[in-house]
Amino acid sequence: GRLRSRPVVMAHLFARAASRYCHRLTRQLNFEPLALRCRVQAFPTVFCVRSTSSEPSEGYRYLKSHEWTSLGSDGTATVGISNYAQEKLGEIVYVEFPDVGETLNAGEQLGVLESVKAAADVYSPISGEVTEVNEKLIDEPELINKDPYASGWLVKLKATDPDEYDSLLTPEEYREVLEESD
C-alpha cells in the first residue's frame, strides 16, 4: 500500500469521526435521513463540516417554482415542495389541497401553503388525477419543514402523461436554478 504522511492520515481519521458524529446527531434529534445530510470535507490543515440539506435530492424532478415530483413504476407521481422552498417560506402553518379525483394539468395550481411569512401557490409538475392527499399535513403542516421529500409530500397523482416527467428539471438543472436565484 501507499504510505501517507501523518497530517493526511489524521485528516482522514478526523473526517470519519466527524461524519459518524453528524449521523449520530441526526438520529438523536429524530431527523429523517433526508432531512439533514452531512458531508465532511477534509483538507491537510482545514476541516469543514457542512449541512447539504438544501441541495436537491436525487431521484426527483423539479419545476423552477420549486415543486418536486417522483414517478413510481405504476405511474403514480408524488408531489411536494423542495427543501429550498420550505426554507424560504419558513414555518408552514396551513395546507390547502385539491380534491381527490380532481384532474390537474401540468403547471396548474394544485394547492396553497400558508406560512408565518407568506402564502404560496403550489403547482402540479405533471398532469394527472389526484388519487391521494397527505392528510397528516392537516394536523401537522410542519412535516413539510421537517422532511419535505418524505413525510412532507403533498399529493399523489395518477399520471396521465408520464413522458412529462422527462421534461422536468433534473437535480443538476435545479441546482443551477438555485445558484442563479442566490
Side-chain angles (χ1 to χ4, degrees):
R2 215 171 131 202
L3 294 176
R4 294 192 240 178
S5 69
R6 184 167 174 77
V8 172
V9 171
M10 294 302 293
H12 177 74
L13 292 173
F14 177 80
R16 287 182 53 205
S19 181
R20 283 194 305 271
Y21 172 77
C22 187
H23 292 288
R24 188 176 28 218
L25 181 63
T26 59
R27 283 195 305 273
Q28 288 173 349
L29 296 174
N30 282 333
F31 281 114
E32 296 287 332
L34 287 176
L36 177 65
R37 290 175 292 162
C38 297
R39 179 168 55 212
V40 177
Q41 297 175 334
F43 302 96
T45 57
V46 179
F47 303 99
C48 174
V49 178
R50 65 183 175 127
S51 168
T52 60
S53 61
S54 63
E55 292 182 6
S57 291
E58 299 298 323
Y60 298 90
R61 294 291 180 107
Y62 299 85
L63 287 177
K64 286 184 179 181
S65 54
H66 308 293
E67 291 83 4
W68 61 261
T69 188
S70 62
L71 188 62
S73 59
D74 64 350
T76 299
T78 304
V79 178
I81 65 166
S82 70
N83 195 51
Y84 176 85
Q86 72 80 20
E87 286 176 348
K88 292 298 181 191
L89 280 171
E91 182 184 348
I92 296 170
V93 295
Y94 177 75
V95 180
E96 182 180 303
F97 295 105
D99 295 326
V100 172
E102 186 176 341
T103 301
L104 300 169
N105 294 316
E108 187 176 349
Q109 182 180 339
L110 69 77
V112 177
L113 298 177
E114 291 183 16
S115 74
V116 295
K117 292 182 182 179
D121 294 337
V122 180
Y123 300 95
S124 180
I126 62 174
S127 302
E129 180 183 334
V130 178
T131 58
E132 187 179 352
V133 297
N134 188 350
E135 294 183 3
K136 288 182 183 178
L137 299 178
I138 295 168
D139 294 324
E140 298 177 84
E142 66 275 6
L143 290 174
I144 297 169
N145 297 109
K146 290 180 182 174
D147 195 359
Y149 294 104
S151 60
W153 62 273
L154 299 173
V155 301
K156 294 191 180 192
L157 305 168
K158 182 65 177 171
T160 54
D161 185 2
D163 292 335
E164 289 176 334
Y165 182 80
D166 294 328
S167 67
L168 298 171
L169 299 173
T170 65
E172 294 78 27
E173 293 167 331
Y174 184 61
R175 276 186 197 95
E176 291 174 13
V177 169
L178 295 179
E179 289 171 5
E180 291 170 8
S181 63
D182 284 339

